């Protein structure tokens, strides 16, 4: 993989520059890239939005965003040179012609931090103003609502852009721990030889959030947990876990293998899906209203805030190894974790009376928080008796590298400026992810209920039974 260097001279255009994504993620990411000396040495940073701001007002807005959301300390000596490069163009007054006028570089990165319904229209306007030459356009999910709308979105973009100019973000791929899946698999000799049906009983993935809808009720209501997290973030993680070794670590070689991995996932059977919706409950001592009581949500809503599924993988490596995945809002805590559970030892020498607890080995990839990896195995506790007890070997990012992981958006923005497509989705991969979920979208099972602050409806236990969901403590 490449080392990080400042990207080539280019303008950065943030479309939707005063919106939530720009405020919480993009502007702070630009600041942190500046702090690390990774911004292009030359080029403007042009904010484009409907509001009527002067350059100075936009700078003040951006400064406040960075102060509030940057992961690292605010430093005026880093901020000032970046602020001098900030410009603002009012969409209503000048349109993209205003951006064309202020753009100084041959190369541009245009980040569409807008609702996806505007992607095609903005791309058309970019073309109209000669802004598609030398451009890379970054877009973020949702890439459509189903297979058909995803194809329509793609067609709209491709009328003016080449596939190589489109950078589709799944921000999970920007997470250090998610990238680390490939390093753990392909830079060690011990794991990969166990990474198959001979050694693995099943794999499970939990993406739990304790937060609710965060003011996005009306949007979320149209989406639900299955489309919001499972169709994209979870399937991307599955593709990294299941892909074959690439022929090289070049972007296309990795993306080829990821798409092939997605092709081996059997479209999900709705009978193997559990959808849930939270009712009133308590998290961390706080009373939480039910989903249907949230702002923007219909009182009889059938939208799911929880989804679990069993995935079947039709490949030589994975045949017969189930992948159980679950995600939900208003779970007891925020946790993204992958557990690889190995098969039982072939013969048990230890009688149940002798052992306190005989457990299968588990490799746990803690994606967030407390990023790290754990391996559990059985060991003999000290004492005269022959007993076996599970113990845990742990790697923690914080302890080993003495640093917190970089924010996903910093990495992704930098890679897009640098033209490195490894961590971005290719259109065939997006299409395949929709194909995998299509049967469930076509006939979704009814939602069942779970109290806020629990791990989902009881049916989710049934889905994985006789196995059980597991999280590292
Ligand atoms: C987004 C979803 O893609 O990911 C949100 O739309 C979710 O609903 C978010 O909260 C979670 O991201 P992270 O990085 O906080 O795990």
């Amino acid at each position: 993989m490449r080392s990080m260097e400042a990207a080539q001279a280019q303008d950065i255009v943030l479309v939707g520059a005063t919106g939530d994504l720009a405020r919480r993620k993009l502007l702070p990411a630009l600041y942190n890239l500046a702090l690390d000396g990774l911004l292009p040495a030359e080029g403007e940073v042009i904010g484009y939005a409907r509001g009527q701001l002067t350059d100075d007002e936009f700078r003040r807005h951006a400064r406040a965003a960075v102060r509030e959301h940057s992961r690292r300390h605010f430093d005026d000596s880093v901020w000032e040179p970046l602020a001098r490069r900030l410009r603002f163009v009012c969409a209503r007054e000048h349109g993209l012609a205003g951006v064309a006028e202020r753009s100084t570089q041959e190369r541009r990165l245009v980040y569409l931090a807008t609702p996806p319904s505007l992607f095609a229209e903005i791309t058309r306007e970019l073309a109209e103003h000669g802004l598609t030459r030398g451009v890379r356009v970054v877009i973020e999910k949702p890439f459509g609502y189903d297979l058909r709308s995803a194809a329509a979105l793609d067609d709209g973009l491709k009328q003016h852009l080449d596939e190589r100019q489109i950078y589709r973000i799944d921000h999970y791929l920007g997470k250090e721990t998610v990238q680390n899946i490939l390093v753990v698999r392909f830079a060690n000799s011990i794991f990969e030889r166990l990474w198959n049906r001979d050694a693995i009983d099943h794999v499970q993935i939990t993406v739990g959030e304790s937060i609710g809808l965060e003011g996005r009720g009306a949007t979320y209501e149209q989406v639900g947990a299955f489309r919001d997290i499972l169709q994209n973030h979870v399937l991307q993680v599955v593709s990294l876990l299941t892909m074959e070794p690439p022929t090289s670590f070049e972007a296309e070689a990795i993306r080829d293998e990821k798409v092939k991995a997605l092709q081996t996932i059997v479209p999900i059977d709705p009978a193997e899906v559990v959808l849930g919706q939270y009712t009133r409950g308590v998290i961390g001592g706080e009373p939480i209203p039910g989903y249907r009581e949230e702002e923007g949500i219909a009182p009889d809503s059938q939208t799911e805030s929880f989804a679990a599924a069993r995935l079947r993988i039709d490949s030589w490596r994975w045949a017969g190894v189930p992948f159980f995945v679950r995600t939900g809002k208003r779970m007891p805590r925020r946790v993204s974790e992958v557990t690889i559970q190995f098969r039982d030892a072939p013969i048990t020498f230890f009688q149940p009376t002798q052992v306190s607890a005989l457990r299968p080995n588990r490799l746990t990839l803690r994606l967030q928080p407390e990023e790290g990896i754990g391996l559990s195995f059985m060991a003999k506790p000290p004492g005269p008796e022959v007993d076996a007890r599970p113990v845990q070997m742990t790697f923690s990012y914080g302890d080993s590298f003495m640093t917190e992981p970089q924010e996903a958006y910093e990495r992704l923005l930098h890679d897009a400026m640098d033209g490195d497509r490894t961590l971005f989705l290719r259109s065939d991969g997006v299409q395949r992810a929709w194909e995998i979920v299509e049967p469930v979208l076509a006939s979704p099972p009814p939602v069942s209920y779970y109290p806020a602050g629990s791990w989902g409806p009881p049916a989710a236990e049934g889905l994985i039974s006789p196995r059980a969901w597991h999280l590292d403590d």
Side-chain angles (χ1 to χ4, degrees), residues 141 171-172 175 209 211 216 220 228-229 233 329 334 368:
K141 67 146 194 126
H171 81 282
Y172 253 62
K175 292 183 192 280
E209 295 185 279
I211 56 170
R216 298 163 57 213
Y220 191 86
D228 189 43
I229 303 265
H233 304 327
K329 300 265 185 210
R334 174 173 189 251
Q368 65 187 25

Side-chain angles (χ1 to χ4, degrees), residues 48 89-100 125 129:
Y48 181 76
V89 173
C90 171
R92 266 186 286 195
E93 205 173 327
H94 302 289
L96 284 169
V99 170
E125 277 179 55
H129 295 99

Side-chain angles (χ1 to χ4, degrees), residues 2-3 42 108 140 155 171 227 294 310 388 464-465:
R2 304 193 201 178
S3 62
E42 285 166 56
R108 285 172 209 101
E140 196 160 339
D155 287 348
H171 81 282
R227 284 187 176 87
E294 303 264 17
R310 175 189 181 126
I464 195 172
S465 168

Side-chain angles (χ1 to χ4, degrees), residues 117-135:
S117 53
L118 303 177
F119 290 170
E121 172 64 16
I122 297 172
T123 312
R124 192 187 56 71
E125 277 179 55
L126 284 172
E128 207 171 278
H129 295 99
L131 290 167
T132 42
R133 235 174 309 114
V135 80

